[in-house]
Amino acid sequence: MTRLDQWIVRCHSLCMAVVLMVVGVAVLIGWWLDLPILKSVTPGLVTMKANAALAFFFSGLALFLLRRKKDKTRFYLPGKIFSLFVFLIGVLSLSQYLFGWDLGIDQLLFFEDPDPLYTVYPGRMAPECGFAFTVGGLALLLIDIRIGKLIYPSQTLSLFIGFIGLTSLLGYLFGDDAIHLKEILYYTRVALHTSVAFIVFCTGLLFLRPQEGLMLPVTADDAGGLMARRLLPMAVLIPVLLGGFRWWIVSSGRSDMISEVALFVTLNMGALVISIWIGAGILHHIDTRRQKLETIRDEFVNMVSHELRTPLAAMKMALDNLEANTGGPLTERQSKTIRLINGNTDRLIRLLNNLLDLAQLESGMVRMNLRSLDPERSISEVVRTFRLGMSVGREIQLKTEIQSPHLILADDDFFSEVLVNLVNNAVRHAKGHVTIKEEEKEGALEDGQKGVEFSVIDDGPGIPPDRMKLLFQKFAQIDQKEEANDSVYRGTGLGLAICKNIVEQMGGKIWAESQVGKGSEFHFVLPEA
């Protein structure tokens, strides 16, 4: 996201709030001082009514106060109060049309001439305005209400306000408020600056929570967000320009119907071609940058592999020799220091190897040799390896539960690597036993394909619910101290991310389940051969 995009997303609602407040105050001053330029922009047009100006001022004030959520500002409640004022002004004005009432609110602030232009009831805003303020006030009141994961009622309601403002504005652009349904409902018209203010109100509501709901795809820092931010303004402006040009051709009598249709179709085709061309250019630019970044990453991986692995291997060998007293006896303090350095060197080597493995997997440099594989043999080898390498004093029972052997479609080496990572995690945290299960699953994969599920289950302390979301993320450390003075071995934070990448590249899926105090279960499914 460019700096301009960031500024627009961050400051748009603030700017729209200021514009609405300025418009509202300016029109109220126009009524107070009887200045036609402020009330109706130009002579011969309908005026923005005083109640509408007051509602716009309250709308801008509410937008300004509600820019932060309830738990982050003390201005949230005042913002809701001003939102309620907007809603009440809209409801009361609209109810006078619906029920034929005269509540005496139309000229409460200022008196209008007895026979105003394009106005049936002096001082009363158009019914469209009453509806728009009702919807706008409701949108402000519901600003942080969510239905499901993606639906925010306030953003949906704001679209109605934008529709009213846009149709009225286009009516002025194309001549004599043409969109207004004066032949059907000859009520008060919408003022010119009222139409513009409603569009401002709509965008202010949409950008009040720019990272949520309808606005999420637009403000996202990805290719889709960039495309939307570049093409949406064109989608709004180009039809307006084409419509204005067509209206000018028709009203001036410069073209017959056939020529007019041909010209209009040609212009629309040109607009679509230009939009697609610009979109393709944006995607090409993004793809070029991505390829450059991938090239830099591959070069960095190769450099790290050569420049760091060699000296680390030499350091490791030297430390092992010192720890074995090949250079002479060491004091107890020196031995303790050497062990500490050696342990950290081991961890650095593991981190480096995991980083390189993950980078190669993500870059597609690693090719999976998928073939029909008997997983029971690999499971037996992993269990035997861990039993031999189990540290003295840790009586962890490693057992397997295989219902009936099934062949899977997988890479032998990478399948073993996933098992080793998961069993290693389980053994580190287990209190008494670790179980490896294998069972067939019908329709376990997304395409309904039959799969084989593998589970690694331990009886460790479990993972708190708030940390479950960190699983399978890079550098996510979920190790905890099981006892007050028991420092648990800490991994690199990349093992589970590597497992997820490997399993998905083999056409499977992986997930975890855990309960605090009852242990953890890691499951992954691979296609059956």
Side-chain angles (χ1 to χ4, degrees):
M1 187 181 295
T2 65
R3 290 184 179 180
L4 178 60
D5 291 337
Q6 293 174 354
W7 184 88
I8 291 174
V9 170
R10 185 171 59 253
C11 302
H12 190 91
S13 62
L14 174 60
C15 295
M16 298 301 101
V18 172
V19 169
L20 289 176
M21 287 189 286
V22 169
V23 168
V25 170
V27 174
L28 288 174
I29 292 174
W31 279 101
W32 181 34
L33 300 178
D34 193 21
L35 299 175
I37 191 172
L38 295 180
K39 293 192 294 182
S40 59
V41 182
T42 183
L45 296 182
V46 65
T47 58
M48 180 191 293
K49 308 309 176 188
N51 286 345
L54 186 63
F56 278 129
F57 175 75
F58 287 151
S59 301
L61 199 54
L63 283 175
F64 179 79
L65 296 175
L66 295 174
R67 287 181 301 124
R68 295 184 180 180
K69 293 190 176 182
K70 184 177 181 180
D71 56 343
K72 296 182 179 180
T73 178
R74 66 180 183 274
F75 300 120
Y76 194 83
L77 181 58
K80 290 289 187 176
I81 293 173
F82 287 115
S83 304
L84 183 60
F85 289 163
V86 177
F87 177 74
L88 290 176
I89 292 173
V91 166
L92 293 176
S93 299
L94 188 60
S95 67
Q96 295 183 114
Y97 285 108
L98 295 176
F99 304 108
W101 297 340
D102 185 0
L103 301 176
I105 63 172
D106 299 329
Q107 304 197 77
L108 186 62
L109 297 176
F110 301 99
F111 284 97
E112 190 170 20
D113 296 335
D115 189 21
L117 286 172
Y118 307 115
T119 303
V120 177
Y121 303 101
R124 184 177 300 181
M125 68 178 74
E128 300 99 307
C129 296
F131 176 76
F133 284 125
T134 301
V135 171
L138 190 60
L140 288 167
L141 290 170
L142 301 177
I143 190 62
D144 288 316
I145 302 299
R146 183 176 67 180
I147 300 175
K149 293 184 178 180
L150 297 175
I151 300 176
Y152 285 78
S154 63
Q155 294 180 343
T156 304
L157 292 172
S158 69
L159 299 179
F160 290 97
I161 305 171
F163 175 79
I164 291 172
L166 188 59
T167 51
S168 300
L169 180 61
L170 291 179
Y172 281 103
L173 292 178
F174 297 150
D176 194 28
D177 200 11
I179 305 293
H180 195 279
L181 303 179
K182 55 190 176 189
E183 292 83 4
I184 302 174
L185 297 173
Y186 192 75
Y187 289 137
T188 303
R189 296 191 187 183
V190 179
L192 175 58
H193 43 346
T194 302
S195 305
V196 176
F198 277 138
I199 296 173
V200 171
F201 192 10
C202 170
T203 58
L205 280 168
L206 289 173
F207 278 89
L208 198 58
R209 298 290 183 265
Q211 309 296 339
E212 300 171 349
L214 295 175
M215 294 302 295
L216 182 59
V218 178
T219 60
D221 192 13
D222 55 21
L226 180 61
M227 180 81 76
R229 291 190 294 275
R230 296 297 178 268
L231 295 186
L232 277 177
M234 296 178 58
V236 174
L237 293 175
I238 289 177
V240 172
L241 295 175
L242 293 180
F245 184 68
R246 179 176 179 271
W247 172 81
W248 176 74
I249 291 290
V250 173
S251 61
S252 62
R254 297 172 181 270
S255 174
D256 55 24
M257 181 177 292
I258 296 177
S259 300
E260 176 199 336
V261 172
L263 179 63
F264 191 63
V265 170
T266 303
L267 290 174
N268 274 283
M269 289 175 59
L272 288 173
V273 168
I274 292 173
S275 300
I276 294 172
W277 208 315
I278 293 175
I282 293 172
L283 292 178
H284 174 72
H285 175 68
I286 293 173
D287 191 57
T288 301
R289 289 182 59 190
R290 180 184 59 80
Q291 291 177 357
K292 289 181 179 178
L293 290 174
E294 288 180 353
T295 302
I296 294 172
R297 182 182 64 179
D298 295 342
E299 292 175 353
F300 174 75
V301 168
N302 293 331
M303 183 274 292
V304 168
S305 177
H306 181 267
E307 299 294 335
L308 289 184
R309 274 180 164 168
T310 302
L312 279 174
M315 288 172 57
K316 174 64 178 170
M317 185 180 298
L319 289 168
D320 287 341
N321 289 335
L322 286 173
E323 194 171 1
N325 294 327
T326 56
L330 301 174
T331 65
E332 184 173 345
R333 184 175 181 180
Q334 290 172 332
S335 298
K336 185 177 180 180
T337 303
I338 291 297
R339 285 196 298 272
L340 179 63
I341 298 173
N342 207 358
N344 281 281
T345 303
D346 287 339
R347 185 166 185 270
L348 182 59
I349 291 173
R350 288 196 305 272
L351 176 61
L352 176 62
N353 289 333
N354 285 341
L355 274 172
L356 294 174
D357 291 343
L358 187 59
Q360 290 175 342
L361 285 167
E362 290 182 340
S363 65
M365 296 170 61
V366 176
R367 292 187 178 181
M368 299 285 178
N369 182 23
L370 301 180
R371 60 183 181 85
S372 181
L373 176 68
D374 179 10
E376 187 177 7
R377 180 179 59 82
S378 300
I379 293 173
S380 300
E381 290 179 0
V382 169
V383 170
R384 184 166 56 251
T385 301
F386 271 92
R387 283 174 178 168
L388 291 174
M390 198 80 69
S391 59
V392 179
R394 293 209 70 194
E395 298 181 358
I396 304 296
Q397 295 182 357
L398 263 175
K399 59 180 181 179
T400 59
E401 295 182 7
I402 300 176
Q403 294 181 353
S404 57
H406 298 89
L407 296 179
I408 59 173
L409 189 65
D411 183 291
D412 194 357
D413 294 333
F414 284 109
F415 174 72
S416 298
E417 184 174 351
V418 172
L419 278 178
V420 168
N421 272 324
L422 296 181
V423 173
N424 186 41
N425 284 340
V427 168
R428 290 205 322 258
H429 298 94
K431 297 177 180 177
H433 61 81
V434 172
T435 304
I436 304 174
K437 289 184 177 181
E438 175 195 338
E439 56 183 324
E440 187 180 33
K441 288 287 183 179
E442 292 285 346
L445 300 174
E446 292 183 357
D447 56 0
Q449 184 180 359
K450 186 183 296 185
V452 179
E453 180 179 316
F454 301 91
S455 305
V456 179
I457 305 169
D458 66 70
D459 61 347
I463 303 170
D466 61 330
R467 298 186 67 81
M468 286 292 291
K469 60 184 179 182
L470 299 177
L471 290 174
F472 307 109
Q473 294 184 12
K474 299 175 186 177
F475 304 107
Q477 294 284 356
I478 59 171
D479 297 320
Q480 301 180 32
K481 292 186 178 180
E482 300 178 26
E483 298 179 5
N485 298 317
D486 182 19
S487 179
V488 179
Y489 163 88
R490 292 181 64 83
T492 62
L494 291 172
L496 291 178
I498 292 174
C499 289
K500 182 176 185 295
N501 205 300
I502 291 174
V503 170
E504 289 179 351
Q505 288 200 37
M506 289 194 295
K509 62 180 181 179
I510 186 169
W511 71 97
E513 301 171 356
S514 182
Q515 293 185 19
V516 176
K518 295 185 178 180
S520 304
E521 299 181 7
F522 285 83
H523 310 271
F524 67 98
V525 178
L526 293 175
E528 186 172 2

